[in-house]
Amino acid sequence: PATTQRQKKAPLPYRTFKAHDGSEIWVGRGAKHNDAMTFRHARGHDIWLHARDAAGAHVILRRSSNSEVHPEALIDAAVLAKLHSKAKEEAIADIMWTERKHVRKSKGAPQGQVSVAKSKHFAVRDDPERLRRLYSTEAIGE
């Protein structure tokens, strides 16, 4: 039998890219999708990133258990966090990051809004070559 539109699998709440070291980077598709990705799909030891003091996508750098985070993979994820935020036009954006287990949703908070503990941050600039590489790895059709 033919499948109807309703029977098709719903798209994932994130887009998937491959980092420098081969690990997956997920970029939320919007506020409600940020919540679903962060709290239903990501694991506690994954790395969560977001442009500091700017609305934008939650970004998850997947990692296996408590493995070390490859510095280039962290920069890859941070560049995507900058691009998918209101800070994308800035020359330099401050990106905060922490393990997902340190990200909480307050009761009654708007979609996409979270509180973060134990975060670190660093500045990133636009990196067109890095973005070209990342976009060439995007998983299409999810």
Side-chain angles (χ1 to χ4, degrees):
T3 59
T4 65
Q5 195 70 7
R6 277 189 219 138
Q7 290 173 316
K8 286 187 178 181
K9 190 176 174 186
L12 292 170
Y14 52 84
R15 296 165 67 183
T16 303
F17 300 87
K18 287 281 183 213
H20 176 269
D21 67 346
S23 56
E24 283 190 353
I25 301 171
W26 296 346
V27 178
R29 296 182 186 270
K32 75 176 182 177
H33 298 298
N34 282 340
D35 284 351
M37 176 188 71
T38 298
F39 298 111
R40 287 191 217 116
H41 293 264
R43 299 172 301 212
H45 55 265
D46 289 338
I47 301 301
W48 179 92
L49 301 93
H50 194 278
R52 196 163 153 192
D53 299 326
H58 293 192
V59 174
I60 297 289
L61 174 60
R62 302 278 288 167
R63 66 178 184 154
S64 50
S65 64
N66 290 323
S67 62
E68 286 295 314
V69 178
H70 192 286
E72 287 297 318
L74 189 63
I75 294 169
D76 285 348
V79 166
L80 286 168
K82 178 186 184 304
L83 179 70
H84 293 273
S85 77
K86 297 278 186 190
K88 67 184 171 192
E89 301 298 328
E90 303 296 323
I92 298 173
D94 198 24
I95 305 298
M96 70 172 140
W97 65 282
T98 190
E99 286 185 304
R100 207 303 289 153
K101 65 185 173 188
H102 300 300
V103 180
R104 299 276 182 262
K105 183 83 178 164
S106 299
K107 187 173 181 156
Q111 290 183 330
Q113 188 177 66
V114 297
S115 58
V116 181
K118 298 186 180 183
S119 67
K120 300 174 185 173
H121 59 95
F122 62 101
V124 294
R125 318 179 162 269
D126 288 334
D127 188 336
E129 189 56 41
R130 187 179 297 265
L131 284 172
R132 268 193 289 285
R133 178 179 51 78
L134 286 164
Y135 272 86
S136 75
T137 70
E138 183 178 8
I140 305 298
E142 291 185 13

